Amino acid sequence: MDKQLTITESISINAPASKVWTAITDKAKIKSYFFGTEVDSDWKKGSPVIWSGEWEGKHYEEKGEVLDVEKGKLLSYSYLSTGREDVPENYSTIVYRLEDKGSDHTRFSITQSNFANQEACDHSKENWKTVLTGLKKVAEGV
């Protein structure tokens, strides 16, 4: 894994931070914009996070742990991708930041670090662009 490989993507969302927070922590909302993925977590520091679903006809289950939470402002978790050996150095760290810009406007950013290689980093970057576009629609109620 390469701790130097890091991506950051951000988007402006025309919704208050509280609605964006709900969109990133509510299981049904996440499924609607995150490639149909089922997410199971209570989003409390130290709690597990389990992602599962079907991709290209195959079932997958991925896992991580909530690392930090500041309700309405920050959510950080570890993430182990399918097929990776379950050792600490193979986990990525993902951080969501919500910046309240007033007047029902939120700046949302995601940072992910510790990729296996540049190809995995590039693939994830494209996926996050799709996820952020869907998150925006969900949070704005479009």
Side-chain angles (χ1 to χ4, degrees), residues 78-92:
S78 63
Y79 168 75
L80 181 67
S81 183
T82 299
R84 306 289 304 158
E85 184 182 358
D86 191 355
V87 293
E89 58 268 19
N90 283 343
Y91 282 78
S92 288

Side-chain angles (χ1 to χ4, degrees), residues 5-7 79 92-95 110-115 124 128:
L5 290 175
T6 299
I7 58 170
Y79 168 75
S92 288
T93 299
I94 298 173
V95 180
I110 185 278
T111 302
Q112 183 174 359
S113 59
N114 200 31
F115 289 92
S124 192
W128 282 118

Side-chain angles (χ1 to χ4, degrees), residues 25-141:
T25 57
D26 179 271
K27 183 178 185 169
K29 292 186 185 312
I30 295 167
K31 185 175 183 176
S32 73
Y33 66 82
F34 210 101
F35 308 110
T37 300
E38 295 277 348
V39 179
D40 186 22
S41 184
D42 64 10
W43 303 112
K44 294 178 181 170
K45 188 173 181 174
S47 292
V49 185
I50 304 293
W51 297 267
S52 62
E54 194 171 296
W55 184 255
E56 297 179 346
K58 294 181 181 176
H59 178 76
Y60 68 89
E61 186 169 296
E62 300 170 329
K63 67 180 186 170
E65 179 180 309
V66 178
L67 302 173
D68 200 7
V69 179
E70 281 183 64
K71 189 173 181 181
K73 294 182 180 184
L74 176 123
L75 178 61
S76 174
Y77 55 87
S78 63
Y79 168 75
L80 181 67
S81 183
T82 299
R84 306 289 304 158
E85 184 182 358
D86 191 355
V87 293
E89 58 268 19
N90 283 343
Y91 282 78
S92 288
T93 299
I94 298 173
V95 180
Y96 294 159
R97 294 185 196 287
L98 293 78
E99 189 178 349
D100 188 345
K101 295 292 195 176
S103 293
D104 291 341
H105 184 80
T106 304
R107 184 76 180 164
F108 179 84
S109 66
I110 185 278
T111 302
Q112 183 174 359
S113 59
N114 200 31
F115 289 92
N117 52 45
Q118 187 64 52
E119 182 182 347
C121 182
D122 294 344
H123 178 74
S124 192
K125 184 176 183 75
E126 291 307 309
N127 282 346
W128 282 118
K129 289 178 182 178
T130 301
V131 168
L132 291 182
T133 299
L135 170 62
K136 178 179 173 75
K137 288 177 183 174
V138 168
E140 291 178 352

